Each structure stands twice: as structure tokens, then as C-alpha cells.
Amino acid sequence: MKKARIGVVGAGGIGAAAHLPAVTGLPDDAELVAIVDLDEQRRTDAGEKFGCSNLYADLGVMLEEQKPDIVVIATPPHLHEPLAIQALRGGALVFCEKPLTGSLESADRIRAAEVETGQWCVTVSQFRYAGGSRQVRDSLRSGRWGRPLIGVAHTSWYRGPEYWDIPWRGKFATEFAGATTTQAHHAIDLLLWLMGGEWSSVSAIADTLSRPIEVEDASVATVRFADGALATLLSTVLSHHQETKLQVMAERATVDLDTLYMPLLEEWSVRQVDAEGTTQVVADWAEPEEPVQAHRAQLADIIAHWRAGEQPELTIAEARSTLEFLTALYKSSHTGVPVSRGEIVAGDPFYSVLDAGGPTRKASR
Ligand SMILES: NC(=O)c1ccc[n+]([C@@H]2O[C@H](COP(=O)([O-])OP(=O)(O)OC[C@H]3O[C@@H](n4cnc5c(N)ncnc54)[C@H](O)[C@@H]3O)[C@@H](O)[C@H]2O)c1
């Protein structure tokens, strides 16, 4: 079978920890043909560690010389749009880290480049590919547990002040937004997906309570779904008790996930109340699974679609829904009223800037 020739742009934190091992961990499906990083030491170290001698400081030169099938983008967020569009125009399918980009307007420009080139730009959402997630999604979709009624997603992480020593972090210009978009993105995207994705409105407060940063370090939100279901969200980097908790209360069962950074099948649990009114843990709700490295699992899925000439999951149209949700959350925090799906369009300041209200947050408190 034809291997996908893959170039990785950004050999920093997540590039070196997840994307490069994901590519080299699929020896039958993928070939690492290039590493691009502005930092010479990083690309040299990554080249040695992952057995790649085609090292570049510039994506354009790499595209010209290597003509990769897939380009992975693992750079700071403000570079996602220009690099993604450049790679699409260079003839590659793009696999881009989250957050996809800094505004709906920017997402629409990437979508236009998808249409122009006939290529796809896929956003990383590794929680959807992590242990158990698909089995929970399939069970919820099948109606086995009845309709989802209430969802909960708490991302309670801790980041000490030194986390923001990396210059692009914490600033609107380069990170776009804070805990809700950077850290809680995984749990929020997973919850919206499990609930069916059809959110209809969100009310929220986002604020910078403690850290010396521009972007928010905490937010709370309530969500209404098109079918009437509800959800609550907590997203923060201020919790000394670090955990990611997800819950879906459906008509005939409640599903819980207790994890931190990477869900495993055994971290999911399902409970049902029996005829006597006693809560019972359901033992046999899932098939056994091999543990997965979720970035690799998503990449393998992209390669399978690429080979088949089919549209993969999480291209711009789908990833835009989560970006629109996050934008609506920030807009609600700014305006103090619920924001409906579809209301943020061209001409709205939040169409052009993810957290357009952020810079005035401190002043208005
Ligand atoms: N999915 C996840 O679990 C996860 C985890 C961490 C970070 N991220 C996301 O991944 C992205 C990168 O985060 P990070 O923590 O790895 O950042 P980082 O700063 O550690 O690494 C970024 C790398 O990109 C390189 N770079 C910058 N500009 C470049 C350019 N024009 N061309 C080539 N290389 C360039 C830098 O030199 C650096 O090595 C962010 O969007 C972040 O939100 C995702």
C-alpha cells in the first residue's frame, strides 16, 4: 500500500512529543520525509531522534523539494492559518494542531483554500481518538442509553507562572485565547461531539483571575443544545487538583470520564439505576481495546481517508463548529447575554477576533 509522505512543521513541545512519534510509529502507512523548524537545534535534535535528514527552516522550500502528501503543523497558533494555506497550495493535506486558528474569518479563509486546492485541512482533536471515546459516541448515537440530556466538561488543570515563559503563550496576538481554547479545547470538543454537536446557545463568563497573562485563565459556561439538552463547562489552569471530568447524563445511563491528559478505556464508566432505585456500575458496556497513542490514531485515520480519496473527519467545516462555539462563549462573556449559533457573522467584531472582548475584560470588571 502506498505510504503517505509526511512533513512535520514545528519540532517543539507537541511536535516532538506527539506528532513525530505518531508519524514514525506508522511504518507501514507513513514516511517522515521532512522536519521544518525555525530553530536549528530543535530540527537537528528531532532529525537525529526520528531518523530524518531532510531538515528545513522554511516550509516553502520543503514543499518545493519534498512535495509531501501530508503536512503536520505544530507551530504556535498565530502561524496555523498562513502555514496551512501555504501547505494546501503546495498540494498537501494539512493536519493542524488546535486551536485551528484565531477567528471564524480566518477559518473561512482556510476553508476557501480547501475549496481552491481540493485538499483538506484537518484539526487535531485527539480526545475523539483516545481510548473509549468512539465506543461511547457509538453507544450514545445508537440510542442504547436513550437521549443525552445533560453534559458536563470540567478541565481543571494547573499551570504555574513559568508556563508562560514561552513567548507566544498568554498573548492575544499569538495564542488568541486562554484556558478555554488552549487547555479545555479537548474536553469541550469531545463533549460537543458526544452530545451530537448541535449546540444552539451558550452563556459564559471568562476572566483572568490569577495569572499575569492577557488571555483568560478561567471560564464557566452553560450550554443549550438544539434538542433541548443542557451542559455546563468549567475551564481553568488554576486547579491544584488536576483532572479532566466529562459526564453525559442520558435517559437510561450516565457516562463518566475521569482522566487528565489522555483518556483510556478504563477511565470511562457507565452507571444505571436499577428497578430498586440502586445505582449499578455497568461492567460490559464496551469491547476491549488496544491502548492507542491518540495523535497517531487520528493520523492513521487521516491516511486511510487520504488513500481512499475520501474526506477525513474534522476538516474545516466540522472544526469550525467548535471554533464558533468558543467564539460565542467569549462573546457571551463580553456582552453578558447568551449567544446563539449562527449569530456571529461578517461585521461582528467576534467574527474577526476569537476573543474580541478580551482586551477590555480587566477594565470592565
Ligand atoms: N494537542 C495537544 O495536546 C497539544 C499540546 C500542546 C500544544 N498543542 C498545540 O500545538 C501548537 C504548538 O504548541 P507547542 O507547545 O508545541 O509550542 P512550542 O513553542 O513548544 O513549539 C513550536 C515550534 O514551532 C517552531 N516554529 C515557530 N515558527 C515556525 C515557523 N514559521 N516554521 C517552522 N517552525 C516554526 C518553533 O521553533 C518551535 O520549535 C499550539 O497550537 C498548541 O496549542 C497541542
Side-chain angles (χ1 to χ4, degrees):
M1 255 189 310
K2 194 179 165 204
K3 290 187 191 182
R5 304 179 69 258
I6 301 185
V8 174
V9 188
I14 201 69
H19 289 288
L20 287 161
V23 177
T24 56
L26 294 168
D28 296 335
D29 299 312
E31 183 188 351
L32 178 63
V33 296
I35 297 171
V36 185
D37 200 298
L38 292 180
D39 184 310
E40 186 178 2
Q41 191 64 49
R42 284 200 172 166
R43 58 176 190 265
T44 308
D45 290 350
E48 274 170 23
K49 184 164 179 194
F50 296 98
C52 178
S53 53
N54 301 323
L55 307 177
Y56 296 88
D58 182 77
L59 171 62
V61 180
M62 186 277 271
L63 290 169
E64 192 64 36
E65 291 186 6
Q66 299 299 331
K67 302 195 173 19
D69 300 309
I70 296 176
V71 168
V72 176
I73 296 177
T75 63
H78 67 296
L79 298 168
H80 292 179
E81 182 200 335
L83 294 174
I85 292 177
Q86 191 179 4
L88 290 167
R89 289 187 176 146
L93 184 156
V94 172
F95 184 30
C96 181
E97 260 302 343
K98 50 67 23 190
L100 166 63
T101 188
S103 70
L104 293 169
E105 186 175 16
S106 169
D108 289 344
R109 285 193 292 265
I110 307 175
R111 172 68 192 135
E114 279 186 336
V115 173
E116 169 198 321
T117 60
Q119 296 287 347
W120 301 110
C121 176
V122 177
T123 305
V124 169
S125 189
Q126 78 259 25
F127 272 28
R128 293 195 193 187
Y129 289 83
S133 296
R134 263 152 216 271
Q135 297 204 60
V136 170
R137 194 274 312 256
D138 292 346
S139 289
L140 285 167
R141 290 279 197 286
S142 74
R144 169 186 186 183
W145 297 324
R147 192 164 66 85
L149 303 172
I150 300 170
V152 179
H154 288 184
T155 301
S156 306
W157 293 5
Y158 183 87
R159 295 289 182 269
E162 67 288 347
Y163 175 79
W164 289 276
D165 289 346
I166 293 183
W168 64 262
R169 290 184 177 155
K171 301 184 181 80
F172 289 117
T174 46
E175 194 181 7
F176 301 130
T180 322
T181 296
T182 296
Q183 280 82 22
H185 192 282
H186 306 293
I188 291 175
D189 180 70
L190 181 60
L191 186 76
L192 294 178
W193 187 62
L194 293 178
M195 298 290 290
E198 297 299 317
W199 66 275
S200 60
S201 70
V202 54
S203 292
I205 302 173
D207 209 341
T208 313
L209 299 177
S210 165
R211 299 296 184 255
I213 55 177
E214 294 175 5
V215 298
E216 91 282 3
D217 57 20
S219 74
V220 293
T222 56
V223 188
R224 174 69 94 170
F225 289 84
D227 64 357
L230 302 173
T232 70
L233 310 177
L234 164 67
S235 309
T236 189
V237 284
L238 304 177
S239 176
H240 290 257
H241 180 177
Q242 295 209 76
E243 59 181 3
T244 304
K245 283 178 97 68
L246 226 96
Q247 192 170 58
V248 178
M249 301 175 212
E251 288 168 310
R252 291 190 293 282
T254 292
V255 186
D256 284 272
L257 170 67
D258 283 281
T259 186
L260 184 53
Y261 295 141
M262 193 52 67
L264 303 169
L265 178 61
E266 57 268 27
E267 292 173 330
W268 291 92
S269 57
V270 179
R271 289 173 177 76
Q272 290 177 314
V273 175
D274 66 17
E276 281 74 49
T278 306
T279 298
Q280 304 288 349
V281 175
V282 178
D284 57 352
W285 67 272
E287 298 296 325
E289 288 179 3
E290 290 295 320
V292 292
Q293 197 261 39
H295 277 86
R296 184 181 304 159
Q298 187 171 3
L299 180 63
D301 190 51
I302 291 169
I303 294 171
H305 283 84
W306 167 80
R307 272 200 191 114
E310 291 167 359
Q311 178 176 354
E313 286 185 30
L314 279 154
T315 59
I316 298 296
E318 202 180 343
R320 192 188 189 284
S321 172
T322 299
L323 187 68
E324 183 184 0
F325 177 82
L326 293 166
T327 311
L329 184 151
Y330 293 116
K331 183 176 177 185
S332 171
S333 176
H334 183 65
T335 59
V337 295
V339 174
S340 299
R341 186 174 193 158
E343 82 168 54
I344 301 172
V345 293
D348 185 320
F350 284 82
Y351 176 70
S352 303
V353 181
L354 174 58
D355 184 4
T360 60
R361 196 153 43 224
K362 280 263 154 74
S364 64
R365 193 142 38 104

